[in-house]
Amino acid sequence: QLGYCAPPSFSRPNLTPATAAQSGTPGTSVVFDLVMENLSSVTNTYTLTAQADWATTLSTSLITMTPHLTSTLTVSVTVPIT
């Protein structure tokens, strides 16, 4: 089709819960389970990073998701001693 322009796919995933709070003893880790969903109609590969003041570990740093797929991610945060 001449002059046809396909709309862009929506590639930002949905992450729930958007915020969560837990408490822990200094020096221990608290674990958050997050559900990520690819909201687009195409397969996307996402690079995951954590930006936090406390030591944070992600269960994966790269995930490829087909359209509308959901996946559970684990985030572990170490409560500082001081």
Side-chain angles (χ1 to χ4, degrees):
Q1 257 179 326
L2 184 59
Y4 174 76
C5 182
S9 66
F10 186 76
S11 63
R12 191 182 83 206
N14 185 45
L15 192 61
T16 54
T19 61
Q22 292 189 36
S23 60
T25 305
T28 65
S29 294
V30 292
V31 176
F32 298 88
D33 289 321
L34 306 175
V35 177
M36 184 171 163
E37 179 184 9
N38 178 3
L39 298 175
S40 76
S41 59
V42 297
T43 297
N44 285 300
T45 298
Y46 301 100
T47 301
L48 308 175
T49 61
Q51 295 178 344
D53 293 333
W54 296 356
T56 304
T57 304
L58 303 174
S59 59
T60 187
S61 61
L62 188 69
I63 187 169
T64 299
M65 300 178 75
T66 57
H68 309 291
L69 179 75
T70 60
S71 182
T72 300
L73 307 170
T74 301
V75 179
S76 178
V77 179
T78 302
V79 179
I81 293 175
T82 57

